[in-house]
Amino acid sequence: MEYFLSLHPVMQALLAGLFTWFMTALGASAVFFSKGANYRVMDGMLGFAGGVMIAASFWSLLSPAIERAEESGVPGYIPAVIGFLLGGALLLLVDRMLPMLRDERYFTEIKDTKAKHRTALLVFSVTLHNIPEGLAVGVAFGALAGDITTASIGGAVALALGIGIQNFPEGLAVSMPLQREGMSRRKSFMYGQFSGMVEPISAVIGAFAIIMIEPVLPYALSFAAGAMIFVVAKEIIPGSQERGYVQLSSICLMIGFAVMMTLDVALG
């Protein structure tokens, strides 16, 4: 741990991004060992990750953004609101673009055209949603170089941990349908883990950009928070409750929020 703390924030962001990718691959690897998913456990994990991401959006992203803006003489709510809404708007735009994707070149082992289209959209959707998550991790670590008192290594690590936990069921959610529709286990795993490959790349880009272009830091932090909240509201919470485990996922969300809040405040 001491070695990790001694690293440059960009390198820390890279390692954190690799961890989130590893968790995606770990989830996707379940296709080799299981014929089906324990949806009660998966939905509980999704709820927990949603709570972590909600808490991280404030303590690891919005709060440092507001502080940095006020330090530069700008009302804290201005970059917070602008960046937050732009983050959500980008994810909304991504969702609107997904039906325009064409998948004839992919998933050639799947014979059913409708199934092929559905699984293609699933892979692309998860992959595109992982980009802002990776950026959020990178921005959180990049902020450590900006001497912001509310930006803590504990908060950045907890954010990466929460996203990693959330990526485990995402990897499984990609690989299992592909295998069920007729793709080999090996290729199902490859596509499942590929959806998380963008996160270490995005994390490095986010950390490096924040360090090089420090004035945009409040907007970038808020942007990452808005993107994360959009993912939680549109994907994680509905996904954790669609099989009927509403109370379980809600309780796990509360626990995840409390754990992230404790880690961020205590370690900060």
Side-chain angles (χ1 to χ4, degrees):
M1 184 63 179
E2 292 182 2
Y3 173 75
F4 180 79
L5 295 176
S6 67
L7 295 174
H8 189 275
V10 173
M11 183 58 66
Q12 291 175 339
L14 173 61
L15 293 178
L18 289 173
F19 166 74
T20 60
W21 178 18
F22 168 76
M23 292 298 290
T24 304
L26 188 63
S29 69
V31 75
F32 294 113
F33 313 106
S34 176
K35 295 182 179 180
N38 187 327
Y39 291 114
R40 182 184 294 271
V41 174
M42 302 301 290
D43 290 350
M45 290 178 63
L46 277 177
F48 181 87
V52 168
M53 293 172 70
I54 292 173
S57 294
F58 175 74
W59 275 282
S60 296
L61 298 172
L62 283 175
S63 181
I66 293 171
E67 179 187 335
R68 173 46 60 96
E70 292 176 345
E71 288 177 352
S72 62
V74 178
Y77 64 87
I78 292 180
V81 170
I82 293 175
F84 185 83
L85 294 179
L86 285 177
L90 174 64
L91 269 294
L92 179 62
L93 178 62
V94 168
D95 276 353
R96 289 183 176 273
M97 290 174 59
L98 285 176
M100 298 169 60
L101 297 173
R102 294 293 178 263
D103 56 283
E104 286 81 2
R105 296 175 297 169
Y106 307 100
F107 316 119
T108 54
E109 295 182 32
I110 300 177
K111 305 303 181 183
D112 185 348
T113 302
K114 291 184 178 180
K116 184 187 296 185
H117 183 69
R118 183 172 63 250
T119 49
L121 293 182
L122 173 63
V123 173
F124 281 115
S125 176
V126 173
T127 302
L128 291 174
H129 283 161
N130 281 342
I131 293 175
E133 292 177 6
L135 288 173
V137 171
V139 166
F141 281 97
L144 299 175
D147 194 26
I148 304 176
T149 57
T150 55
S152 68
I153 184 65
V157 169
L159 174 61
L161 179 62
I163 291 178
I165 293 172
Q166 179 249 330
N167 281 356
F168 181 88
E170 274 192 359
L172 182 59
V174 173
S175 62
M176 281 294 189
L178 293 177
Q179 195 273 331
R180 186 174 59 244
E181 298 291 353
M183 181 174 286
S184 68
R185 292 178 185 268
R186 179 176 174 275
K187 286 193 174 182
S188 297
F189 165 75
M190 291 301 296
Y191 279 111
Q193 64 83 30
F194 175 80
S195 65
M197 191 180 298
V198 296
E199 293 208 9
I201 300 172
S202 301
V204 170
I205 292 174
F208 186 76
I210 290 306
I211 293 173
M212 297 300 294
I213 317 174
E214 196 169 322
V216 304
L217 177 59
Y219 297 91
L221 289 167
S222 304
F223 179 91
M228 287 181 60
I229 291 296
F230 185 92
V231 171
V232 171
K234 184 180 183 299
E235 303 291 341
I236 294 180
I237 293 179
S240 68
Q241 299 181 355
E242 64 184 2
R243 297 180 183 87
Y245 303 118
V246 177
Q247 290 187 343
L248 173 64
S249 62
S250 299
I251 292 172
C252 289
L253 185 144
M254 297 290 291
I255 294 173
F257 185 96
V259 168
M260 178 64 196
M261 177 175 60
T262 302
L263 289 173
D264 212 335
V265 175
L267 296 178

